Every structure is written in C-alpha cells, then in structure tokens.
Amino acid sequence: MGRKRNQGKARKAAKAREEAEESNNQRTNGQQRLLAEQMQQLQLGNSNYLQTSGSDATKCYHGFKEMDNVCIGFVIAFRDAVHEAVKRGKSTLQSLIEAKCATMDEFIDVWYDSANMEIVLSYYLCHGTESILEGNYGYAHECAVFARYMEQWTAVKLHQTQALENWSKVEAMTADSHTRVKFLRRRIPCRCLEKKYDEIKTITKIGVCFNSECPIPCGYVERSKTMYCSRCRNVTYCSRECQKADWTAHKEECDGCVAQIAEFEAEKQS
C-alpha cells in the first residue's frame, strides 16, 4: 500500500516537472516571438533594421550604430506608454512624464546610464531624420519630441549642466517643421537634411502658450511674440493676459522650479 502511494507521488511529481518544463518552453518561445515583433517595430520605414551587423554599408544611418535588447525594449515600452497616456487625453508633456514613470523601474539602467541614453537619443535622431526624408512627418514629429525630451533629461539628471528640463523647448518640437528639421540637422553628423532645411527654413517658427485656456487654437503663436515666465523661464505664453490667467495653475510648479534653480546655482558656486 505504501509502495503504491509512493509511486503515485512520484508520477505526480514527474507530471508537475513536465508541466513546469512545458510552461518554461512556452514562456521562452513567447519571449522569442516578442523580441521578433520588437525588431519588426524597429524597422526604419521600409528599409533594413538599424543594426551594425548586416547593415548596408552604402546607407547613411545618420550617426546611429546599434542597440542592444535592453535599449530596444526601452524604446518600445516608452513609446507605448506615451501613446496610452495620449489616448487618455493627456497633453504631450504629461504623457512624456507618465511614460518616464511607467518605464523607470524596469529600465532604470537606461534612464540613469549616459551611454544607453546616448544610444537611445541617436536612435530617435536617426529615425526622425529618415522619416523626414521619406515624408513620414508624423513619426518625425514623435521622434523629435522624444529626442528633445531625452536630451533635456540627460542634461539635468546625468550631465548636470542645467537645473531643470526646459518644457518650452520640448513643446516647441510639436509646433512646426522648421524647428524639428533644424533640431535634427544640428545633431546628426551627416548632411542628409541640408536640402530639406533649405526648403523649409523660411517657415515661421511657432511657440506654444502654456495657458490651457488660451483662446488661440492649440495655443500656437509666432515664437518671436511669446514671452517666458520671468521667474522660472520654463514656460511660455502668447500674452500677458494668458500668463495672468494661468498663474494659479502655474504658481506651485513655478515655485518648485525657482527652488531647483537656486539649489543648482548654489551647488555650482560651492
């Protein structure tokens, strides 16, 4: 009787091991399929993958070389998080901040690693450039916004060359093609955007009014006519009236920015 009971336990244990092994295999296969899907998502328009191995030596990748799987996962997760936030009605800046928070724990080795951030930034610059050349202006817009945001994050958190992210510079990437092309052109090592820049450099640069109740559609106004908040110089307005109207909403953030700037300047002088 005891022998049968032991044999039954052995059979159950063997079955459990088989089920666990099958589950692990399924999980591994799932991870492999996910990685394959991620690689497909990282195609550059209709061209080859942006990897050093197997890349076309005759093609310009605008300074981009390769990304490892961690950076690939980060790019996809960050973009998905931004899109989810936008679907919930969040603004561009709110979506970027939410995406940062949503990806921070899993990808802290990207957010706080200068080398990885440089790779990610070069990815956005490359894809933004190629998208402009291919006429995919929607994706170029997205890449320019992400690149500007990553650049601001790196300057504040990693290189510590400025006190805080300049949101008006990030927001400017959403406003006009002149600003986007100029931004990308200055940061790639090639001359691939020279012709395109010559075509659009006469387009008026647009600024953004940060008053959510601004009567101007989307808050877009000629940049030369915008004014910075004189305290934090981190947001812009189309008029004195909009600045006053937004003060109640902006005051707490403004106080925090001013405190950060003061702390930053004190540390520089110490």
Side-chain angles (χ1 to χ4, degrees):
M1 191 69 166
R3 184 184 304 162
K4 289 183 178 180
R5 187 160 44 248
N6 291 336
Q7 289 174 344
K9 289 180 179 179
R11 284 194 296 270
K12 288 181 179 180
K15 185 177 180 180
R17 285 195 298 271
E18 289 176 1
E19 290 176 349
E21 184 176 350
E22 182 179 356
S23 176
N24 287 335
N25 289 337
Q26 289 176 348
R27 184 161 52 251
T28 300
N29 292 336
Q31 291 171 341
Q32 291 173 343
R33 286 195 299 272
L34 177 59
L35 180 59
E37 291 171 2
Q38 290 174 341
M39 292 299 295
Q40 289 176 354
Q41 290 184 49
L42 290 179
Q43 281 183 303
L44 182 60
N46 296 319
S47 57
N48 296 329
Y49 299 131
L50 293 181
Q51 301 293 323
T52 300
S53 176
S55 293
D56 183 354
T58 65
K59 181 177 176 60
C60 181
Y61 291 101
H62 320 297
F64 180 82
K65 294 181 180 179
E66 64 179 334
M67 280 199 302
D68 61 19
N69 291 340
V70 173
C71 288
I72 290 172
F74 170 79
V75 167
I76 294 170
F78 184 79
R79 186 187 185 198
D80 287 348
V82 169
H83 288 187
E84 284 300 315
V86 170
K87 287 178 184 177
R88 288 185 276 105
K90 299 297 183 179
S91 69
T92 297
L93 300 184
Q94 289 171 335
S95 299
L96 291 169
I97 293 170
E98 285 199 10
K100 178 195 69 179
C101 294
T103 57
M104 181 60 73
D105 287 345
E106 184 177 358
F107 296 102
I108 192 168
D109 289 339
V110 177
W111 281 110
Y112 281 96
D113 185 278
S114 295
N116 282 334
M117 286 304 294
E118 185 176 338
I119 291 170
V120 170
L121 179 59
S122 72
Y123 167 86
Y124 290 130
L125 295 175
C126 173
H127 276 243
T129 298
E130 195 68 19
S131 296
I132 285 173
L133 296 174
E134 293 180 349
N136 185 357
Y137 297 110
Y139 191 45
H141 172 165
E142 180 176 283
C143 287
V145 170
F146 290 1
R148 185 56 129 170
Y149 177 61
M150 299 296 175
E151 187 178 77
Q152 289 289 306
W153 165 270
T154 300
V156 174
K157 300 297 184 181
L158 302 181
H159 297 161
Q160 298 179 347
T161 54
Q162 61 190 59
L164 41 79
E165 293 98 335
N166 189 318
W167 294 120
S168 63
K169 289 185 176 181
V170 178
E171 194 73 75
M173 291 297 107
T174 70
D176 65 90
S177 56
H178 183 170
T179 299
R180 287 191 289 273
V181 173
K182 183 177 181 180
F183 170 78
L184 295 168
R185 171 177 167 265
R186 285 185 168 182
R187 286 159 176 79
I188 57 176
C190 55
R191 297 178 59 82
C192 292
L193 286 178
E194 295 300 312
K195 182 178 178 180
K196 177 59 66 174
Y197 182 70
D198 287 340
E199 293 173 2
I200 56 85
K201 64 183 179 182
T202 58
I203 294 176
T204 301
K205 292 182 180 179
I206 302 299
V208 179
C209 179
F210 275 69
N211 177 19
S212 60
E213 302 298 325
C214 178
I216 299 174
C218 299
Y220 288 160
V221 63
E222 188 174 335
R223 192 178 305 168
S224 62
K225 297 179 180 179
T226 60
M227 59 182 68
Y228 278 99
C229 169
S230 60
R231 295 182 74 231
C232 68
R233 300 194 63 78
N234 199 37
V235 297
T236 52
Y237 297 98
C238 66
S239 65
R240 182 68 175 163
E241 289 72 24
C242 267
Q243 185 175 14
K244 287 182 178 180
D246 190 54
W247 176 242
T248 300
H250 175 58
K251 183 179 184 304
E252 183 177 353
E253 178 187 357
C254 187
D255 289 343
C257 289
V258 170
Q260 280 183 259
I261 293 171
E263 182 180 353
F264 178 78
E265 294 296 333
E267 288 181 357
K268 279 205 311 182
Q269 294 174 9
S270 61

